[in-house]
Amino acid sequence: GNVITPDLVNFAARYAERSGQVDVAVFARVAAGLDEQANAQYGNHKRQKSQQIAAEISSRYLSERCMVIYNVVAKHADPDEGNGPGSISPVNFGGALSELGGIPPQQVATLLSKVPTHRKGGHLKWRESQVVNELGRMMVESDETRWLRSFDRWDKNHDGNLTIRELERALSSTSGIERAREEVERIIRSADLDLDGAMSAAEFITIMKIAELGQ
């Protein structure tokens, strides 16, 4: 049967509506998961809604990472005079990357080969390029890779899903913060995921982004 959630109740009520009134018998069958056609429609509805929420969370997470990167690079950047506004020396840029951490050096080297520089001293024109956006994308990819390793480590039976208990342990291990069951369930609800005892790797990544955003 279905896990009863507010979303399921709303869907069942809409599905069972007949001439402005809810057919109670149809509503009960849909809510119980006994109507195959309704099950298929509800499955599509949940997938579309989860994908939309995951995309929104990913966009917010990337924006947050870019903001962090911008602030760190700006702190290490040159004064506006001298090499021009929005410039940073390679040494100071390396210091900013060290402070940020988690970005593969090979990807950074490829990025820097495309960044325009001032003729004097080879300082990077970081505000005139896509440096922040590209570093943000790299940081997100690095985070997701780290989270997937954690997912694989906690997926004890290797079925591609985590139970709620495994998720509690994975969240605590990955973030370094012990989280109570109530907090884990709150985070799951933020992603509009059913508490059905199983979570895929993609859902886990969304959950980790929500946890990092402090939502």
Side-chain angles (χ1 to χ4, degrees), residues 45-177:
H45 164 77
K46 285 201 302 181
R47 280 190 293 274
Q48 291 173 3
K49 190 170 184 180
S50 293
Q51 289 169 0
Q52 179 182 356
I53 291 174
E56 291 172 356
I57 294 296
S58 292
S59 177
R60 285 184 53 204
Y61 188 76
L62 175 59
S63 295
E64 190 272 343
R65 282 291 175 261
C66 287
M67 185 180 302
V68 169
I69 291 167
Y70 183 94
N71 290 335
V72 171
V73 175
K75 182 174 67 177
H76 288 265
D78 305 330
D80 285 348
E81 65 275 3
N83 288 289
S87 65
I88 185 171
S89 71
V91 171
N92 287 347
F93 188 70
L97 292 178
S98 295
E99 182 175 338
L100 289 167
I103 303 176
Q106 299 87 344
Q107 294 187 30
V108 173
T110 301
L111 171 62
L112 292 183
S113 67
K114 304 175 184 178
V115 177
T117 61
H118 292 278
R119 291 182 180 179
K120 180 182 177 182
H123 288 221
L124 306 170
K125 299 179 181 179
W126 68 280
R127 286 183 181 167
E128 298 178 21
S129 61
Q130 294 296 313
V131 168
V132 171
N133 290 339
E134 285 298 312
L135 287 176
R137 182 186 59 77
M138 292 176 189
M139 184 174 282
V140 170
E141 288 181 357
S142 177
D143 288 343
E144 291 179 347
T145 299
R146 175 166 51 87
W147 294 334
L148 285 174
R149 285 198 297 266
S150 180
F151 180 92
D152 290 338
R153 185 166 65 251
W154 288 105
D155 180 16
K156 299 299 185 181
N157 60 358
H158 305 293
D159 67 346
N161 291 289
L162 295 184
T163 65
I164 297 298
R165 184 173 295 277
E166 288 172 339
L167 175 61
E168 287 178 29
R169 294 170 180 167
L171 278 170
S172 299
S173 170
T174 304
S175 64
I177 302 174

Side-chain angles (χ1 to χ4, degrees), residues 2 11 15 26 29-44 47:
N2 289 324
F11 173 85
Y15 188 89
V26 174
R29 284 182 56 80
V30 173
L34 300 177
D35 187 309
E36 291 186 6
Q37 183 177 351
N39 286 345
Q41 289 187 24
Y42 183 56
N44 289 333
R47 280 190 293 274

